[in-house]
Amino acid sequence: MSLRARCTDRDFLRRLVGLAAPISIQQLVTSSLFHLVNAILLSHLGEAALGAVSLVGRMGGIASLVLGGIAGGVSMFCAQLGARSDRGDRGNHSARGDRDDIARVLGAGLLVTSAFTLPLALAAALAPGAVLHLLSSDPGVIEAGSAYLPLLALQYPLLAVILVFSAAARSLGRPRLPLVTAGIGAAVSTLLSYGLVLGRLGLPALGVHGAGVAALLSRLLEAALLVGALYLGPRTTPRAVPLPALPFRDGTLSRFLAPTWPLVLNELLWALGTFAYVAIYARMGTGPLAAIGVLTPIQWVCIDVFVGLGSAAGILLGQELGAGNEARAYDLAVRISIVGPAFAALGGVVIAFASGLLLAPFSGVGPAALGGARTMLFMFAATLWIQVSTMISCLGVMRAGGDTRFMLLFNTGGTWLLGLPLACAAFALGLPIEAVFACTLVEEFLKMLLWTHRLRSRRWMRDLGAAPLPSRP
């Protein structure tokens, strides 16, 4: 069968879309649409409020990406261990042993996320003004952001629980449950934001503070629904997520951290790099920061439409590698690396034609900021297929194969060695925000070329289950 025929095979597309769609929809309703609704509502409060929430949201994005890296480690192990469990015995390692290993991986994921989120939440809650003052000199931005940052920080422990259990549920064949609970949380968040930001539905008008309250309450509800649904029902079915177990025995924690720490460091360094971009925008003034505040939620929505392809690739490839099917894993990786960018190229055309419709809700923003956002949206649409290609390589292929150290060099090197120096140079030369934004896109071209070479080399393929977690006494 030719490569074109394999890429358009109905069974392949059905499996890929069947996994990708729930993940993308969950990401959309929990993150992107939440930020988009907030941006639209807060744009009616002025550029300072919108810029402040955009700045704080990017700070929260750093925490979210790090937590996502830890959850990616959970998913990486659960996909391969789950495939081994479905096959029964593998040498001397029983299916029951694999389920116990999954329980200990969950425990490790929760332990590491707690160690990260609790100090971060405490620091952000106690000194929000001091943190924001380092990034912006605008008093309006600092005042508005100080009302939002402490409430955002309190969401981090809840987000850790949601991401870890969602990763386990998807990897063990239950992708729809996180989608349902996320949808309920998003609906509650939207209603509460509408009421508390603008003073509708009989609720007080709290402005930026109201947006934070709405987000915190919706996260609490989502976490409670997800954990309750996972463990109130029967836990003996093959798709059941086992109860987390302490990971200290037999070196489980160190075994979990070995391939996961590069994943987490990758997310942290990449997030710090993207946040450095935002710091540059903030130093350019309230208008450019507001333009980014308009563009960013639209970007997140568009990217998250395709993020499920990366996560689905990770699950499918992890299952094949866990089953010892390296040839099938390579073939899947090639096909997904072609299909994903092809879909994204079509999506970029749609975004370009719908730009007026996408920007229409932000009528409260000044014409200069809105014009800058429009130009940058066209630039984003033209390069979306390249960004999706690198996203699939990181979220899916390299993560599934445990090739996390190369992923660390690959993903952060482009940002810190190419994108940021170019953006800083454009800022120092006094170029407009559109030019600075263009510099942030250059790194994607380099990463796409590097990834194509890595894919063909097959050096990204590692079977994490080849040496099982230490057996229990």
Side-chain angles (χ1 to χ4, degrees), residues 7 10 26 38 41 51 99 206 230 251 254 259 294 308 411 413 418:
C7 288
R10 290 187 178 182
Q26 181 189 358
N38 269 358
L41 293 174
R99 304 296 293 181
L206 302 179
L230 283 174
S254 60
V294 171
N411 207 30
L418 185 62

Side-chain angles (χ1 to χ4, degrees), residues 12 15 316-317 320 327-337:
F12 159 69
R15 288 180 66 200
L316 292 174
L317 292 173
E320 295 295 346
R328 291 182 60 183
Y330 177 77
D331 180 63
L332 273 175
V334 171
R335 286 192 276 173
I336 295 172
S337 296

Side-chain angles (χ1 to χ4, degrees), residues 204-280:
L206 302 179
V208 173
H209 185 75
V213 172
L216 178 60
L217 292 177
S218 64
R219 289 291 192 200
L220 180 61
L221 175 63
E222 182 183 352
L225 290 175
L226 177 61
V227 175
L230 283 174
Y231 296 116
L232 290 181
R235 297 197 299 271
T236 57
T237 63
R239 290 187 174 186
V241 176
L243 286 170
L246 291 177
F248 300 111
R249 294 166 48 193
D250 307 321
T252 300
L253 183 59
S254 60
R255 179 69 186 280
F256 173 77
L257 289 174
T260 302
W261 75 259
L263 200 62
V264 175
L265 185 59
N266 166 76
E267 299 289 357
L268 178 60
L269 292 177
W270 183 81
L272 288 173
T274 58
F275 187 64
Y277 290 136
V278 179
I280 294 174

Side-chain angles (χ1 to χ4, degrees), residues 404-429:
T404 52
R405 297 193 182 187
F406 179 81
M407 177 179 167
L408 171 62
L409 298 173
F410 164 85
N411 207 30
T412 59
T415 300
W416 288 94
L417 299 179
L418 185 62
L420 266 176
L422 288 175
C424 289
F427 171 69
L429 292 172

Side-chain angles (χ1 to χ4, degrees), residues 302-303 306-307 309-311 313 333-345 380 382-399 407 410-411 443-455:
C302 297
I303 286 290
F306 299 98
V307 76
L309 288 174
S311 298
V334 171
R335 286 192 276 173
I336 295 172
S337 296
I338 294 173
V339 170
F343 284 150
F380 167 74
T383 58
L384 178 61
W385 68 276
I386 299 175
Q387 297 179 59
V388 169
S389 175
T390 56
M391 180 182 66
I392 288 174
S393 67
C394 288
L395 282 180
V397 182
M398 284 188 281
R399 181 179 293 183
M407 177 179 167
F410 164 85
N411 207 30
E443 65 177 88
E444 301 295 338
F445 289 92
L446 174 63
K447 289 193 290 188
M448 183 183 66
L449 294 176
L450 290 174
W451 161 238
T452 301
H453 175 73
R454 189 69 173 183
L455 173 66

Side-chain angles (χ1 to χ4, degrees), residues 2-3 32 54 125 203 219-220 230 240 250 260 335 349 374 470:
S2 67
L3 179 60
S32 300
S54 174
L203 298 173
R219 289 291 192 200
L220 180 61
L230 283 174
D250 307 321
T260 302
R335 286 192 276 173
V349 174
R374 179 176 290 106

Side-chain angles (χ1 to χ4, degrees), residues 108-375:
L110 291 173
L111 180 66
V112 176
T113 53
S114 297
F116 172 74
T117 56
L118 294 179
L120 188 65
L122 183 62
L126 292 178
V131 174
L132 290 167
H133 187 72
L134 296 173
L135 302 170
S136 176
S137 58
D138 190 313
V141 171
I142 295 174
E143 180 182 359
S146 296
Y148 187 74
L149 180 56
L151 292 167
L152 179 68
L154 293 176
Q155 297 179 47
Y156 298 155
L158 298 172
L159 183 60
V161 171
I162 291 170
L163 290 176
V164 168
F165 282 110
S166 294
R170 287 195 295 262
S171 295
L172 296 175
R174 300 181 66 182
R176 290 180 177 81
L177 177 59
L179 170 61
V180 172
T181 56
I184 295 172
V188 171
S189 175
T190 301
L191 289 174
L192 287 177
S193 294
Y194 176 70
L196 292 173
V197 172
L198 302 178
R200 307 293 171 81
L201 305 177
L203 298 173
L206 302 179
V208 173
H209 185 75
V213 172
L216 178 60
L217 292 177
S218 64
R219 289 291 192 200
L220 180 61
L221 175 63
E222 182 183 352
L225 290 175
L226 177 61
V227 175
L230 283 174
Y231 296 116
L232 290 181
R235 297 197 299 271
T236 57
T237 63
R239 290 187 174 186
V241 176
L243 286 170
L246 291 177
F248 300 111
R249 294 166 48 193
D250 307 321
T252 300
L253 183 59
S254 60
R255 179 69 186 280
F256 173 77
L257 289 174
T260 302
W261 75 259
L263 200 62
V264 175
L265 185 59
N266 166 76
E267 299 289 357
L268 178 60
L269 292 177
W270 183 81
L272 288 173
T274 58
F275 187 64
Y277 290 136
V278 179
I280 294 174
Y281 301 142
R283 292 295 176 183
M284 297 180 73
T286 303
L289 185 59
I292 289 296
V294 171
L295 176 69
T296 298
I298 299 176
Q299 275 185 293
W300 282 341
V301 169
C302 297
I303 286 290
D304 284 346
V305 168
F306 299 98
V307 76
L309 288 174
S311 298
I315 294 172
L316 292 174
L317 292 173
Q319 291 170 349
E320 295 295 346
L321 290 172
N325 300 323
E326 291 191 359
R328 291 182 60 183
Y330 177 77
D331 180 63
L332 273 175
V334 171
R335 286 192 276 173
I336 295 172
S337 296
I338 294 173
V339 170
F343 284 150
L346 294 176
V349 174
V350 173
I351 293 167
F353 277 104
S355 59
L357 182 63
L358 293 172
L359 295 171
F362 298 93
S363 57
V365 177
L370 203 59
R374 179 176 290 106
T375 301

